[in-house]
């Protein structure tokens, strides 16, 4: 690793936090710990981090409230961490702007790989955005203004999370071509192989359809090609 990336770890269980911080530091990251939601939000908004690992069950402010506060001012990558394998938690996290989630207990090397992928993806997007400087992509009344990170449908602006925006932009730039969930994990989330949970893609597609389609159960834009994957038509 060329330089030490900064990780904010928001975790109230001290033994878990210290052990994970030790392992992340050994992997080349500089790790800062916050032991409750209020401290985590304050640090996230006043210091510079490359990624946030955010537990859901926290004292003072829960992880969802912390995430909501972060997203009012920052697009820093956020991975939600939960002890509950609960789809409601996953959906809520992704809907509120999380980039991904992991469920305890997780494998350390998988978590580190996800951290690395999210940081790399975020930096690549910033470099690409600065190089391109803007432009628009349009498909049948659906328009993305890349310079302003704005999505409009028939002239009306849509409120999308960062990952919903990323997914829609990628599919619109490759309109008509279906991609499997594994391919989308690689192209949009930056995960190699089968590192990520493909349900992350399904949840993001479902949320995007609710904002994009007149009838999400009968989509006109974001289509499923059975046995292949998703595409924009």
């Amino acid at each position: 690793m060329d330089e030490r990336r900064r990780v904010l770890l928001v975790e109230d269980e001290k033994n878990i936090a210290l052990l994970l911080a030790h392992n992340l530091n050994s992997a080349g990251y500089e790790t800062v710990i916050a032991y409750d939601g209020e401290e985590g939000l304050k640090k996230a908004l006043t210091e510079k981090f490359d990624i946030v690992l955010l537990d859901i069950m926290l004292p003072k402010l829960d992880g969802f409230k912390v995430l909501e506060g972060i997203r009012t001012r920052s697009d820093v990558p956020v991975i939600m961490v939960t002890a509950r394998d609960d789809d409601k938690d996953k959906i809520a996290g992704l809907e509120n702007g999380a980039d991904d989630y992991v469920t305890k207990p997780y494998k350390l090397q998988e978590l580190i790989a996800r951290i690395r992928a999210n940081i790399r993806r975020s930096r690549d997007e910033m470099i690409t955005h600065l190089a391109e400087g803007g432009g628009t992509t349009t498909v049948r009344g659906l328009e993305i203004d890349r310079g302003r990170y704005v999505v409009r449908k028939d002239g009306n602006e849509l409120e999308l999370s960062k990952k919903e925006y990323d997914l829609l932009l990628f599919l619109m730039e490759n309109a008509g071509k279906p991609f499997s969930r594994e391919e989308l994990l690689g192209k949009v989330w930056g995960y190699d192989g089968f590192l990520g949970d493909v349900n992350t893609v399904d949840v993001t597609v479902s949320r995007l359809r609710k904002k994009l389609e007149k009838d999400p159960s009968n989509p006109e834009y974001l289509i499923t090609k059975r046995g292949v994957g998703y595409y924009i038509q």
Side-chain angles (χ1 to χ4, degrees):
M1 188 174 297
D2 296 332
E3 57 182 292
R4 289 173 67 86
R5 304 298 183 199
R6 299 193 80 218
V7 178
L8 174 60
L9 172 59
V10 190
E11 167 63 69
D12 65 313
E13 296 187 46
K14 188 172 183 179
N15 290 339
I16 292 176
L18 291 173
L19 178 60
L20 180 54
H22 172 75
N23 287 321
L24 291 176
N25 291 337
S26 297
Y29 296 93
E30 177 186 344
T31 309
V32 175
I33 302 173
Y35 291 107
D36 63 63
E38 285 185 357
E39 182 186 10
L41 179 57
K42 181 179 179 180
K43 287 183 180 296
L45 295 181
T46 58
E47 300 182 39
K48 172 68 175 177
F49 294 98
D50 294 284
I51 196 165
V52 178
L53 296 182
L54 179 59
D55 198 57
I56 290 179
M57 303 298 291
L58 294 167
K60 298 187 180 181
L61 284 178
D62 68 31
F64 298 124
K65 291 292 186 182
V66 176
L67 176 61
E68 183 180 347
I70 291 174
R71 284 293 175 252
T72 62
R73 291 171 51 184
S74 173
D75 284 329
V76 63
V78 176
I79 298 178
M80 302 291 288
V81 182
T82 176
R84 298 177 297 181
D85 191 10
D86 188 335
D87 285 342
K88 290 182 180 179
D89 282 350
K90 298 172 183 178
I91 292 171
L94 294 171
E95 170 66 9
N96 287 308
D99 293 87
D100 200 7
Y101 56 81
V102 293
T103 303
K104 297 178 183 177
Y106 47 76
K107 294 181 179 178
L108 176 63
Q109 290 306 314
E110 178 181 338
L111 179 62
I112 290 175
R114 290 195 188 201
I115 290 170
R116 184 178 299 116
N118 274 280
I119 291 175
R120 181 179 65 244
R121 180 77 184 178
S122 179
R123 287 172 55 84
D124 288 348
E125 287 173 354
M126 184 180 299
I127 292 170
T128 299
H129 180 69
L130 292 173
E132 292 181 349
T136 60
T137 299
T138 304
V139 176
R140 295 190 299 111
L142 187 62
E143 177 186 343
I144 290 186
D145 182 340
R146 295 191 300 276
R148 297 177 56 210
Y149 290 102
V150 169
V151 179
R152 301 183 187 89
K153 182 184 177 185
D154 298 328
N156 298 313
E157 188 169 328
L158 304 180
E159 291 292 333
L160 304 185
S161 71
K162 179 66 164 58
K163 200 52 66 178
E164 289 165 355
Y165 173 92
D166 292 342
L167 177 60
L168 182 60
L169 177 60
F170 176 77
L171 291 175
M172 285 181 63
E173 289 182 335
N174 295 275
K177 180 179 179 180
F179 292 88
S180 70
R181 293 180 296 174
E182 290 81 8
E183 287 175 322
L184 290 173
L185 279 174
K187 300 292 186 180
V188 179
W189 277 261
Y191 293 157
D192 297 325
F194 293 88
L195 174 63
D197 183 348
V198 292
N199 287 329
T200 302
V201 178
D202 295 332
V203 169
T204 306
V205 167
S206 177
R207 301 304 308 177
L208 185 54
R209 279 176 172 159
K210 289 180 179 179
K211 299 177 181 182
L212 181 63
E213 307 284 358
K214 292 180 181 179
D215 179 5
S217 64
N218 187 28
E220 300 175 10
Y221 288 93
L222 183 42
I223 309 300
T224 301
K225 188 173 182 64
R226 191 176 300 277
V228 181
Y230 298 113
Y231 68 101
I232 288 286
Q233 72 170 7

